[in-house]
Structure formats: structure tokens, C-alpha cells
Amino acid sequence: MAQNEPRLRASLLADLRIIVLGTWAFFLQLLRSWRLTPKLMDQHDDEQR
Amino acid sequence: MMRTAYVKGIANAQRVAREAVLCVAENVRPGDSERQVCARLEREFAKARVKHWLHTPYAWWGERTRFDWHGTWETNALPTDRVLAEGEAFVLDAAPIVLGFPSDFAFSGCATGQPETTVKHRELLEQLAQIKRDILTWSASEAGNAELCREVAHGIESAGSDVIHTRYPAQVLGHTLEGFPNWCTGAPRIGTGFQLPLLLTYASGLVLHHLAGAPYPFLNAGAPGRPRGLYAVEPHLGKGTLGAKFESVLLVDEGETRWLDPELFGEVTG
């Protein structure tokens, strides 16, 4: 059990990192895509094709 | 919910995703921008009455199919005004939630106009088809999650290609499709790209893994245990300026290991 502790701690930290970075990236993505989204969802956006 | 009903729900969602993506993919032409094609994908999914997503449609052209960019994946992956040139590779990837069930389908193609590149791209697709067969064999064996990821990476590298899927967030080869519908499946769409059902489901999956021993939600090099349940698996490889991937649903249950769509980009048989 004691031998497993460092490995468990490392995997816990790795997964915490995934959650924190993922949440941060989600908000960055939200800011970046705010004005893009209506254009993508506009049904007539592709008329020039 | 009965297991067969759950698998059918996922298969139906995957069918909807595949049909929309392939419908748009067959009309992708040099001169189209990533944003134009994503708008077409949005329109196809709107026809299918999709309102909720794991992630909204992505389109990547040329060197962007390799994810060689610097910085945050989520912002770099958003569709750009970059225009597809003749002979360039492209990837379309969408993950709608249909009737509460998630899906995730990706298609890789190559614009016409440069026969030499078309041949190279076809070789990448043959590699992907081989990897798809191998994943089935490895998943049916006693291989663990981490070993499966190592085997896939080794298979890609031994064919002289680059492993690209480790550049995804959490370096995933795949992610679970278990645990839906759940409390956040009906979360409204916010912006473009990854959506709340993806973020919240996998974050709570990681927490539950550590607190309650729930199965690990990702397939990556550090994943403990053996594959179990339904996964969206997305091996992604690159060679030169070309990148290619597939994304399909793998079912690993007791006594049953199979792809819901056995062929590369083929029909979802359920």
C-alpha cells in the first residue's frame, strides 16, 4: 500500500491537472468563439458557395 | 436502463453523426474554408434536430490536420477562415448528443487535384484500417488500457508515421461513452467547441474514479485497468503535412468486443 501511494498521488495530480486545464481552456474557447458561433449557426452563411 | 437499449441509443446517435458528416464531406472542395464547412455541418445537424453536444463540429485543413500548433488545443482547434487547397488533407469531426445519447464521429479525406498526395493519403487510410482491426484484437486480449495505447502508438510509429492523438487534451486515444444521459446532458450550447456535457461528465468521471473507484473515463497512456464498456476511439496519425484519423465506437463487454461500425467510415451496424 505504501509503495502505491506515490503512484496514486501522481495520478491524482495528473487528473486534477486535466480538470483545471480543461476548465481554463473551456473559458478561453468560450471567449474566442463568442462572435464566431452566430456565424456558424446562421443558416444562410454558406450562400456564397 | 437495459444494456441492449443503451447500446442501441449510442448506435443511433453515431448513425446520425456519421450521416451528417459524410453528407457534408462528399461536397468538400478546394476553396472551401473551415468555417464554411462547419456552417454546413451545423445545418445538417440542425435538420437532425440536434441541440446538445459533447463538442460542436470541427473542420481541419492541410497542416492543421496534424495539430502542430502551439498553445491551447481548444482555441487552436476552432474553425478558421483557412481555405482548402488542391491535394490537401482534411478532417471533419462532430459529437452530437441525440435523444440523450452521445456520439463522436470523424472522417478523413483528401481534396482532389494532386494525385501523388492522394496516393499518400490513401496509404494513411490503409494504416488506420489496420489499426482499427488491431485495436479489436488487443481489446479482446488481456491488454490493459495503457498497454492498448502503447500498442497503437507503436503500430503507428513502426509504419513510419507520427502519433497525433496524444496532442488532444488529456492525450487521449479514446474516451468513455458510458454514463449518459446524465444531469448535464441537456446543458445548453455555449459558444463553439467543447461543451458542458463533455467537460462536466469527464470531470465528474475523474473525481468519481478517485473517490469511488469508478472506471477511468479516458484511454490514454496513464489509464489504469482494462477497457470496459463503450468508448469513442480516435487514433490519429500524421506523415509529412498529412494528418488522418477515424473515430468510432468500440464496445468491450463481457464476452463481446466489437466496433459498432466495423469498416473504416462504414455503416453503424449497432
Side-chain angles (χ1 to χ4, degrees):
Chain A
M1 186 64 188
Q3 282 178 332
N4 281 338
E5 266 179 29
R7 203 186 308 164
L8 284 173
R9 200 177 305 126
S11 93
L12 181 63
L13 287 176
D15 290 336
L16 270 176
R17 189 170 177 271
I18 289 173
I19 293 171
V20 171
L21 289 182
T23 306
W24 170 244
F26 179 78
F27 285 111
L28 281 182
Q29 168 200 278
L30 193 59
L31 286 175
R32 194 67 70 83
S33 69
W34 196 253
R35 274 183 288 182
L36 166 67
T37 305
K39 290 181 195 165
L40 292 177
M41 295 179 74
D42 179 359
Q43 301 299 297
H44 305 289
D45 189 52
D46 199 30
E47 290 296 317
Q48 70 261 34
R49 193 171 170 251
Chain B
M1 187 184 296
M2 291 286 290
R3 188 65 182 155
T4 48
Y6 191 78
V7 175
K8 275 186 180 172
I10 298 279
N12 178 58
Q14 190 71 2
R15 212 168 278 126
V16 169
R18 175 182 175 271
E19 281 170 15
V21 169
L22 292 189
C23 175
V24 171
E26 68 183 23
N27 292 308
V28 170
R29 299 281 182 271
D32 288 337
S33 74
E34 291 178 349
R35 286 185 183 178
Q36 280 176 321
V37 170
C38 278
R40 274 178 235 158
L41 285 163
E42 298 271 5
R43 198 161 51 207
E44 278 304 309
F45 284 112
K47 280 188 208 164
R49 300 177 187 281
V50 169
K51 288 191 167 52
H52 307 289
W53 304 85
L54 288 184
H55 66 73
T56 62
Y58 289 114
W60 301 302
W61 295 169
E63 78 290 342
R64 279 173 50 77
T65 57
R66 290 182 45 97
F67 303 163
D68 280 337
W69 50 57
H70 298 288
T72 314
W73 187 94
E74 287 86 338
T75 49
N76 279 290
L78 290 170
T80 66
D81 283 322
R82 191 194 183 291
V83 166
L84 187 67
E86 286 189 348
E88 279 191 331
F90 67 87
V91 174
L92 306 182
D93 188 338
I97 295 173
V98 180
L99 302 175
F101 294 96
S103 62
D104 208 337
F105 179 80
F107 174 81
S108 297
C110 188
T112 53
Q114 287 195 13
E116 197 179 308
T117 319
T118 308
V119 171
K120 284 181 185 166
H121 190 264
R122 196 173 301 140
E123 286 171 7
L124 290 189
L125 294 188
E126 281 164 16
Q127 262 188 62
L128 282 174
Q130 183 60 48
I131 288 167
K132 193 166 185 180
R133 290 189 288 272
D134 290 342
I135 286 175
L136 201 58
T137 311
W138 293 324
S139 304
S141 72
E142 292 298 305
N145 288 325
E147 196 182 341
L148 172 65
C149 295
R150 270 199 303 274
E151 292 282 9
V152 171
H154 178 71
I156 291 172
E157 285 167 345
S158 62
S161 299
D162 306 317
V163 180
I164 306 292
H165 54 259
T166 48
R167 299 174 186 181
Y168 285 106
Q171 293 98 51
V172 294
L173 169 66
H175 49 92
T176 184
L177 292 180
E178 296 290 342
F180 294 86
N182 59 33
W183 61 280
C184 59
T185 305
R189 172 183 179 152
I190 308 179
T192 295
F194 284 0
Q195 295 297 304
L196 284 171
L198 180 146
L199 184 71
L200 298 174
T201 301
Y202 293 125
S204 47
L206 289 172
V207 171
L208 285 173
H209 169 71
H210 286 283
L211 292 183
Y216 196 70
F218 300 129
L219 289 176
N220 61 20
R226 293 196 53 224
R228 190 172 54 171
L230 286 150
Y231 293 91
V233 182
E234 49 187 330
H236 192 149
L237 50 84
K239 202 170 208 174
T241 57
L242 302 174
K245 71 178 282 191
F246 72 82
E247 187 153 15
S248 290
V249 181
L250 178 69
L251 171 66
V252 187
D253 270 348
E254 280 172 30
E256 184 179 35
T257 301
R258 62 185 170 91
W259 293 104
L260 299 195
D261 53 341
E263 303 299 322
L264 190 65
F265 314 127
E267 274 190 43
V268 181
T269 51

